[in-house]
PDB file of all heavy atoms in Angstrom:
ATOM      1  N   ASP A 132     139.023 131.600  93.620  1.00 92.00           N
ATOM      2  CA  ASP A 132     138.501 130.637  92.646  1.00 92.00           C
ATOM      3  C   ASP A 132     137.162 131.108  92.048  1.00 92.00           C
ATOM      4  O   ASP A 132     136.228 131.459  92.770  1.00 92.00           O
ATOM      5  CB  ASP A 132     138.309 129.279  93.329  1.00 92.00           C
ATOM      6  CG  ASP A 132     137.951 128.198  92.328  1.00 92.00           C
ATOM      7  OD1 ASP A 132     136.745 128.045  92.029  1.00 92.00           O
ATOM      8  OD2 ASP A 132     138.875 127.545  91.827  1.00 92.00           O
ATOM      9  N   ILE A 133     137.095 131.060  90.725  1.00 92.00           N
ATOM     10  CA  ILE A 133     135.916 131.562  90.012  1.00 92.00           C
ATOM     11  C   ILE A 133     134.668 130.738  90.320  1.00 92.00           C
ATOM     12  O   ILE A 133     133.583 131.280  90.500  1.00 92.00           O
ATOM     13  CB  ILE A 133     136.189 131.546  88.480  1.00 92.00           C
ATOM     14  CG1 ILE A 133     137.315 132.527  88.146  1.00 92.00           C
ATOM     15  CG2 ILE A 133     134.944 131.874  87.681  1.00 92.00           C
ATOM     16  CD1 ILE A 133     137.075 133.946  88.598  1.00 92.00           C
ATOM     17  N   GLU A 134     134.828 129.405  90.395  1.00 92.00           N
ATOM     18  CA  GLU A 134     133.653 128.552  90.648  1.00 92.00           C
ATOM     19  C   GLU A 134     133.053 128.850  92.019  1.00 92.00           C
ATOM     20  O   GLU A 134     131.830 128.813  92.195  1.00 92.00           O
ATOM     21  CB  GLU A 134     134.037 127.063  90.540  1.00 92.00           C
ATOM     22  CG  GLU A 134     134.414 126.612  89.142  1.00 92.00           C
ATOM     23  CD  GLU A 134     133.399 127.022  88.077  1.00 92.00           C
ATOM     24  OE1 GLU A 134     132.191 126.857  88.324  1.00 92.00           O
ATOM     25  OE2 GLU A 134     133.812 127.545  87.023  1.00 92.00           O
ATOM     26  N   VAL A 135     133.912 129.139  92.985  1.00 94.00           N
ATOM     27  CA  VAL A 135     133.428 129.471  94.331  1.00 94.00           C
ATOM     28  C   VAL A 135     132.650 130.792  94.277  1.00 94.00           C
ATOM     29  O   VAL A 135     131.551 130.908  94.834  1.00 94.00           O
ATOM     30  CB  VAL A 135     134.616 129.576  95.326  1.00 94.00           C
ATOM     31  CG1 VAL A 135     134.115 130.035  96.692  1.00 94.00           C
ATOM     32  CG2 VAL A 135     135.338 128.243  95.442  1.00 94.00           C
ATOM     33  N   LEU A 136     133.198 131.771  93.586  1.00 96.00           N
ATOM     34  CA  LEU A 136     132.531 133.081  93.499  1.00 96.00           C
ATOM     35  C   LEU A 136     131.198 132.962  92.759  1.00 96.00           C
ATOM     36  O   LEU A 136     130.207 133.596  93.138  1.00 96.00           O
ATOM     37  CB  LEU A 136     133.447 134.100  92.803  1.00 96.00           C
ATOM     38  CG  LEU A 136     134.753 134.402  93.569  1.00 96.00           C
ATOM     39  CD1 LEU A 136     135.644 135.351  92.771  1.00 96.00           C
ATOM     40  CD2 LEU A 136     134.464 134.981  94.946  1.00 96.00           C
ATOM     41  N   LYS A 137     131.179 132.140  91.735  1.00 96.00           N
ATOM     42  CA  LYS A 137     129.909 131.931  91.007  1.00 96.00           C
ATOM     43  C   LYS A 137     128.872 131.293  91.925  1.00 96.00           C
ATOM     44  O   LYS A 137     127.682 131.609  91.856  1.00 96.00           O
ATOM     45  CB  LYS A 137     130.135 131.021  89.799  1.00 96.00           C
ATOM     46  CG  LYS A 137     130.686 131.743  88.594  1.00 96.00           C
ATOM     47  CD  LYS A 137     130.656 130.768  87.446  1.00 96.00           C
ATOM     48  CE  LYS A 137     131.459 131.247  86.276  1.00 96.00           C
ATOM     49  NZ  LYS A 137     131.685 130.190  85.303  1.00 96.00           N
ATOM     50  N   ALA A 138     129.331 130.360  92.779  1.00 97.00           N
ATOM     51  CA  ALA A 138     128.399 129.697  93.711  1.00 97.00           C
ATOM     52  C   ALA A 138     127.783 130.724  94.659  1.00 97.00           C
ATOM     53  O   ALA A 138     126.583 130.662  94.956  1.00 97.00           O
ATOM     54  CB  ALA A 138     129.126 128.605  94.488  1.00 97.00           C
ATOM     55  N   VAL A 139     128.580 131.679  95.131  1.00 98.00           N
ATOM     56  CA  VAL A 139     128.030 132.749  95.996  1.00 98.00           C
ATOM     57  C   VAL A 139     126.976 133.542  95.225  1.00 98.00           C
ATOM     58  O   VAL A 139     125.912 133.870  95.753  1.00 98.00           O
ATOM     59  CB  VAL A 139     129.150 133.694  96.499  1.00 98.00           C
ATOM     60  CG1 VAL A 139     128.541 134.857  97.289  1.00 98.00           C
ATOM     61  CG2 VAL A 139     130.149 132.943  97.365  1.00 98.00           C
ATOM     62  N   SER A 140     127.277 133.839  93.962  1.00 97.00           N
ATOM     63  CA  SER A 140     126.356 134.676  93.176  1.00 97.00           C
ATOM     64  C   SER A 140     124.985 134.015  93.014  1.00 97.00           C
ATOM     65  O   SER A 140     123.983 134.701  92.844  1.00 97.00           O
ATOM     66  CB  SER A 140     126.956 135.009  91.810  1.00 97.00           C
ATOM     67  OG  SER A 140     127.023 133.852  91.000  1.00 97.00           O
ATOM     68  N   LYS A 141     124.944 132.677  93.096  1.00 97.00           N
ATOM     69  CA  LYS A 141     123.663 131.967  92.933  1.00 97.00           C
ATOM     70  C   LYS A 141     122.971 131.724  94.279  1.00 97.00           C
ATOM     71  O   LYS A 141     121.825 131.299  94.299  1.00 97.00           O
ATOM     72  CB  LYS A 141     123.913 130.602  92.283  1.00 97.00           C
ATOM     73  CG  LYS A 141     124.290 130.677  90.825  1.00 97.00           C
ATOM     74  CD  LYS A 141     124.406 129.257  90.301  1.00 97.00           C
ATOM     75  CE  LYS A 141     125.294 129.183  89.093  1.00 97.00           C
ATOM     76  NZ  LYS A 141     125.684 127.838  88.744  1.00 97.00           N
ATOM     77  N   ASN A 142     123.689 131.934  95.377  1.00 98.00           N
ATOM     78  CA  ASN A 142     123.137 131.579  96.689  1.00 98.00           C
ATOM     79  C   ASN A 142     122.084 132.605  97.126  1.00 98.00           C
ATOM     80  O   ASN A 142     122.394 133.780  97.325  1.00 98.00           O
ATOM     81  CB  ASN A 142     124.271 131.514  97.718  1.00 98.00           C
ATOM     82  CG  ASN A 142     123.811 130.881  99.022  1.00 98.00           C
ATOM     83  OD1 ASN A 142     122.630 130.931  99.355  1.00 98.00           O
ATOM     84  ND2 ASN A 142     124.735 130.279  99.736  1.00 98.00           N
ATOM     85  N   PRO A 143     120.822 132.178  97.300  1.00 97.00           N
ATOM     86  CA  PRO A 143     119.774 133.146  97.657  1.00 97.00           C
ATOM     87  C   PRO A 143     119.937 133.752  99.049  1.00 97.00           C
ATOM     88  O   PRO A 143     119.304 134.762  99.344  1.00 97.00           O
ATOM     89  CB  PRO A 143     118.476 132.324  97.565  1.00 97.00           C
ATOM     90  CG  PRO A 143     118.902 130.906  97.638  1.00 97.00           C
ATOM     91  CD  PRO A 143     120.296 130.829  97.128  1.00 97.00           C
ATOM     92  N   VAL A 144     120.781 133.150  99.908  1.00 97.00           N
ATOM     93  CA  VAL A 144     120.958 133.764 101.238  1.00 97.00           C
ATOM     94  C   VAL A 144     121.993 134.889 101.224  1.00 97.00           C
ATOM     95  O   VAL A 144     122.105 135.642 102.189  1.00 97.00           O
ATOM     96  CB  VAL A 144     121.312 132.728 102.342  1.00 97.00           C
ATOM     97  CG1 VAL A 144     120.209 131.725 102.523  1.00 97.00           C
ATOM     98  CG2 VAL A 144     122.640 132.061 102.092  1.00 97.00           C
TER      99      VAL A 144
END
Side-chain angles (χ1 to χ4, degrees):
Chain A
D132 188 274
I133 295 304
E134 293 310 315
V135 175
L136 296 176
K137 278 188 193 167
V139 175
S140 69
K141 288 184 204 167
N142 192 334
V144 298

